[in-house]
Structures are given as structure tokens and as C-alpha cells.
Amino acid sequence: MSLLDDPARVESLTVLSRFRTDLYDCLTARADALFELTDALLCADGAVRSLVDLTLTPEHRRGHGALYDGLNHGRIEENRLRAVLTDLPLPKTVDGRIVLVVDVSPWLRSDAPTSAERLFCHVYGRGKNQAQLIPGWPYSFVAALEPGRTSWTAVLDAVRLGPADDATAVTADQLRAVVGRLIEAGHWHDGDPDILIVMDAGYDVTRLAFVLADLTVELLGRIRSDRVLRLPKPPRQPGATGRPPKHGPEFALDKPATWPDPKHVTTTSTTRYGTAVATSWDRLHPRLTHRTCWIDHEGDLPIIEGTLIRLQVEHLPGDRDPKPVWLWSSATGATAAHVDRSWQAFLRRFDIEHTFRLFKQTMGWTAPKIRDPAAADRWTWLVIAAYTQLRLARPLAVDLRRPWEKPAAPGRLTPARVRRGFRNIRANTALPASAPKPGKPGPGRPPGSKNRRPAPHHDVGKTIKRDLTMTARQQRTG
């Protein structure tokens, strides 16, 4: 069937062509080289192992020198590209709710001492207690999740975390900007359900809930199973003297004796995890102290209440012993249906792991040995733009499966399978890049000459420290 025979496919082709044109307009320097690099990434056969191999694809009409020149000296208007990504059709749940996920994925550069702004990135090992800290560039991604089991996400933003950045503050600013663009693009209106933002245990979900309290969002995150929260303060008894308490009794997640009667207990039958039991308690909050991220908070520390959810499933894939998952939501007064919707949305958070795996293993996001972090940012945005084109081309793709692969149902192609046939789709889309001008390679470094300007070496880790230690600050304010 031709792409022009079906009105729905024509509409999808129009949206894809419009995005390609808008992407080209966001490339304000070395636009042709960067755009053809993106096309080569989309049309290359197999996984991308190195950048120079992309110059051998027919879609890349320039030499390898133009490729590296585009990454090192090109320019991408990132804010404009963010707005273009937000204007695209956005996946929503059945009730019309937008579900966002925020997560960090590292670009490991342990062998690059001349690369600046590297941090120690937490990497999980294959065995128990085999986690490591490896130097690299951590990137914070925000994506919209689709309902149901899928390997697709709609990536909306990416920010590289620098040595002087507070990860929670950067995440809060990133989420605030994304939500603002969603509202400006018309994806959310007054009266719509609150935007749900899910995150894993690496984030301080309670602090993010306090910082983003002025937005119409609900934050849901996993917390450690050894946390201790506080119940609401009890009502003051008549005739009681002394200072009224600010916190109620302790709720230790690993001590069932401290658990009061739950507000809701729901049981759900799932095809993947068996029977799932969700138990929830209302208005639980952590007890904050003037330490770490709250050391600069003026006045009394806030009480950040939310809903605590304990999820216990019957079994996990691979017959592993299931342990309970503890979730904390910034919403209070949640109903049983709200609790079920929350933990089911959290399970969809793992869809972004498929996106990270595609970025690294198939599209070669972390394959280039780039020295400049600004060039790494450009390459990251090109990978996001290429992945977005795959998402827009999903209704247009044909299943070019291998003989040993199972047939995929219509509309259920994975991103890797859509990429196999993108070369055929590309011929019917907009091709704004101009043809290269004839030229010849430069002379290069003369034979026998030495590099008399070695690249500087940079330290790894945080470089910005507080002016006062915690002890000195307490002595000054005491």
C-alpha cells in the first residue's frame, strides 16, 4: 500500500515532514551537516558503533570532516527545539491525564580526563552490591508515558547535570519548564486532571513536591524501605499543657508494629505480576531537619503530607522473590481508585528504560568519544530528534522482521523495527538539507610535527562548595 492511499497515513506523513522542517530551522549553524547526520543515524543498518561509520550511509552526502565540524562548531537552538517537541501530539491515559517520567541516564566517560564537567555517576553492577561510581556526564530526561505495555515514550526534554548543580533544584526547574510548555501548547487546560509525574528512589520526592506545590501536578516516587515517616499530629486534648507537638507517632516502613490501620486496601489481578495488593495510608510526612538541602531554609521547616502506598505483588518475572515497593504521592485524601491508578502509573515508569537502552545500544548515543560537553549536548539532541521521528513514523512503518522474529501486530512495532524501514519513509518526507559543495580535504598536520598545545585535564566531581560548614553555620546562628 502506498503512503498516500490512506488519509490517516497522509496525516502522519504530514506531521513527520513538518517536524523535519522545524528541526532544520532549529539548526542555526552547520545545519546541513547536522541534519544529514540525523538522517544517517535513522537510516544506518544495525547498531551505531562509531560516528565515522555514519558517513558511509547514502543519506550522508558529506565527508567525515563535516560531521565532526558540525558537532564541534554547530549550533542548535535548544529552547526552540523543546517547544517543537512539545507541540507534537502527546500520549495521554484513558481519563485524559498526562503522565510524565523524569530519570537520569549517564554517558560514561571514565577514560576522558581532558573532558570537562564530568561527575561520578552511579552505575549498577551485575551482582549484588556491585554498584560503582564511574566518571561521566549525567543527563536528566523528561518524557511522556503511553498507556499500556509499550517500549515507546515521548521524550520532551534533556538537561546535562553539571558539577555546580543541585540535582533536585535542576530537576524542579526542568519540570516547571516542561509543564509550562505543555500548558502553553494547549495540552492541559483548567479542569483537566492534574499532571502526574513519576520518579524512582533516586529523587527527593518530598522536596520536589514542596518546590512545585504551586503547579497543578501530582508527584509520585518510590522511597526506600527503611524510611521513617510521621503520622499526622494527634488532636490536642483539653487541659493539656506545654508546647503542642508538630508531628504524630513514627511510621517505620520496616516495622509493621508501627503501622496503624490503613485507609484503603485494594486487590488487583494482573497478567504479569499475579495478584497485586495495594495498601495506603493518608497524610504521612517526613520529619525534616535543618541539614543537607534544608540547611538554607528560613523559619520553621514545612510539613509535607502525602499518601503512602505499599505495593505487594505475587511474583516477578523470572520467579524472583518479590519485595514490597513503597511509594509516596503528594496527593492527600486519595480514593481507592486513585491509589490503584498511582501504582499502575509507577509501573509504566520502566518504559523509559527501553528508551535509554535504544539510545545506547542501537542509536549509539554514548558511542562517540567526544571531548567537549557542548558537543555532547548537540549529539544528545540529535539522538532525541531522531527518536522523535521514529515515533512519528510508527503508523507509516512496515514490519521488516528477521526470519527468526515473531510478527508484530499493526501499530505494535518497536522503535528498532520502525528504524529498519525509515529509509523508505524518508523518501516521501521533507528534505530541507542542501547538496554539499565540491571541495577537497585540508592539508592537516604536517608529517612529523608534534602537538605543542596539549588539552587541559579536568577533575571529576563537584567543584562548588559551601562557604561555611554545617558546624560553622550552626555556631554563627546559635
Side-chain angles (χ1 to χ4, degrees), residues 48-192:
V48 177
R49 302 303 181 189
S50 65
L51 282 179
V52 71
D53 290 340
L54 296 177
T55 61
L56 303 179
T57 61
E59 290 75 16
H60 195 280
R61 299 174 292 179
R62 290 162 170 79
H64 63 277
L67 182 149
Y68 288 105
D69 183 65
L71 283 180
N72 294 325
H73 304 289
R75 185 167 58 249
I76 302 176
E77 293 188 11
E78 297 178 359
N79 291 333
R80 185 175 179 180
L81 183 53
R82 290 185 175 101
V84 171
L85 293 173
T86 308
D87 287 336
L88 296 174
L90 196 69
K92 297 183 180 181
T93 59
V94 178
D95 60 348
R97 186 185 303 272
I98 299 175
V99 181
L100 302 179
V101 58
V102 56
D103 203 356
V104 173
S105 184
W107 182 340
L108 302 180
R109 295 305 313 276
S110 58
D111 55 348
T114 59
S115 294
E117 303 181 13
R118 292 182 302 160
L119 295 176
F120 286 107
C121 304
H122 185 270
V123 179
Y124 289 98
R126 292 185 178 273
K128 186 177 181 181
N129 298 327
Q130 296 296 318
Q132 305 178 58
L133 291 176
I134 300 179
W137 291 313
Y139 280 84
S140 175
F141 291 86
V142 176
L145 299 178
E146 295 188 358
R149 294 176 59 182
T150 179
S151 57
W152 292 93
T153 60
V155 181
L156 300 176
D157 193 20
V159 174
R160 178 172 49 83
L161 302 178
D165 292 335
D166 181 343
T168 304
V170 172
T171 303
D173 294 340
Q174 184 183 20
L175 291 174
R176 184 180 297 276
V178 170
V179 172
R181 289 194 296 269
L182 291 175
I183 297 176
E184 185 178 356
H187 294 296
W188 188 92
H189 303 87
D190 291 336
D192 291 346

Side-chain angles (χ1 to χ4, degrees), residues 306-319:
T307 300
L308 180 66
I309 303 173
R310 180 181 185 270
L311 177 64
Q312 179 70 61
V313 298
E314 185 177 0
H315 57 78
L316 294 175
D319 295 330

Side-chain angles (χ1 to χ4, degrees), residues 28-48:
T28 55
R30 273 73 171 185
D32 295 332
L34 293 176
F35 191 86
E36 288 195 353
L37 174 58
T38 307
D39 275 357
L41 174 61
L42 286 167
C43 300
D45 295 330
V48 177

Side-chain angles (χ1 to χ4, degrees), residues 195-466:
I195 299 175
L196 179 60
I197 303 175
V198 296
M199 59 197 68
D200 206 4
Y203 290 90
D204 190 347
V205 60
T206 54
R207 182 185 173 196
L208 286 173
F210 174 76
V211 175
L212 303 177
D214 58 319
L215 299 181
T216 55
V217 298
E218 174 189 348
L219 275 75
L220 176 68
R222 183 166 66 94
I223 59 177
R224 290 166 53 104
S225 59
D226 58 353
R227 288 284 300 271
V228 177
L229 302 180
R230 289 301 185 109
L231 294 165
K233 65 178 181 180
R236 188 171 179 81
Q237 299 297 328
T241 59
R243 183 179 179 180
K246 292 182 58 179
H247 311 279
E250 288 187 348
F251 187 110
L253 274 59
D254 56 353
K255 297 180 180 179
T258 63
W259 304 352
D261 293 336
K263 183 177 181 181
H264 299 292
V265 178
T266 63
T267 303
T268 306
S269 179
T270 65
T271 58
R272 186 173 178 82
Y273 306 104
T275 302
V277 179
T279 310
S280 66
W281 294 266
D282 193 22
R283 298 182 57 197
L284 268 80
H285 63 275
R287 183 175 181 178
L288 307 178
T289 58
H290 281 94
R291 299 171 65 88
T292 61
C293 61
W294 298 99
I295 190 173
D296 297 323
H297 186 83
E298 300 293 340
D300 295 336
L301 292 173
I303 295 179
I304 310 171
E305 294 184 332
T307 300
L308 180 66
I309 303 173
R310 180 181 185 270
L311 177 64
Q312 179 70 61
V313 298
E314 185 177 0
H315 57 78
L316 294 175
D319 295 330
R320 292 178 294 167
D321 183 23
K323 296 182 179 180
V325 176
W326 291 92
L327 306 174
W328 188 89
S329 170
S330 61
T332 57
T335 62
H338 190 155
V339 171
D340 281 343
R341 183 173 62 245
S342 297
W343 67 261
Q344 291 172 12
F346 175 79
L347 295 183
R348 295 268 60 82
R349 187 206 71 83
F350 296 96
D351 293 343
I352 199 172
E353 302 295 343
H354 296 283
T355 302
F356 292 156
R357 188 178 298 110
L358 178 82
F359 280 7
K360 295 181 178 181
Q361 298 182 2
T362 302
M363 305 184 73
W365 171 43
T366 59
K369 305 299 182 182
I370 296 177
R371 176 186 298 175
D372 186 10
D377 293 345
R378 298 186 193 100
W379 173 243
T380 301
W381 279 109
L382 293 183
V383 172
I384 294 175
Y387 175 76
T388 303
Q389 295 184 58
L390 294 179
R391 183 170 65 89
L392 297 178
R394 181 166 38 162
L396 308 172
V398 180
D399 187 11
L400 303 179
R401 66 184 182 91
R402 303 290 189 256
W404 55 86
E405 294 176 341
K406 296 181 180 179
R412 298 292 298 175
L413 293 180
T414 63
R417 289 201 187 186
V418 174
R419 180 171 174 260
R420 291 176 189 170
F422 191 85
R423 176 172 292 166
N424 301 327
I425 301 173
R426 173 184 175 273
N428 298 281
T429 62
L431 303 173
S434 60
K437 298 179 180 178
K440 59 181 180 179
R445 182 183 298 173
S449 63
K450 296 183 179 180
N451 181 16
R452 292 182 172 83
R453 292 187 299 177
H457 287 52
H458 303 274
D459 295 331
V460 183
K462 296 289 185 180
T463 58
I464 304 299
K465 299 182 179 180
R466 295 183 181 273

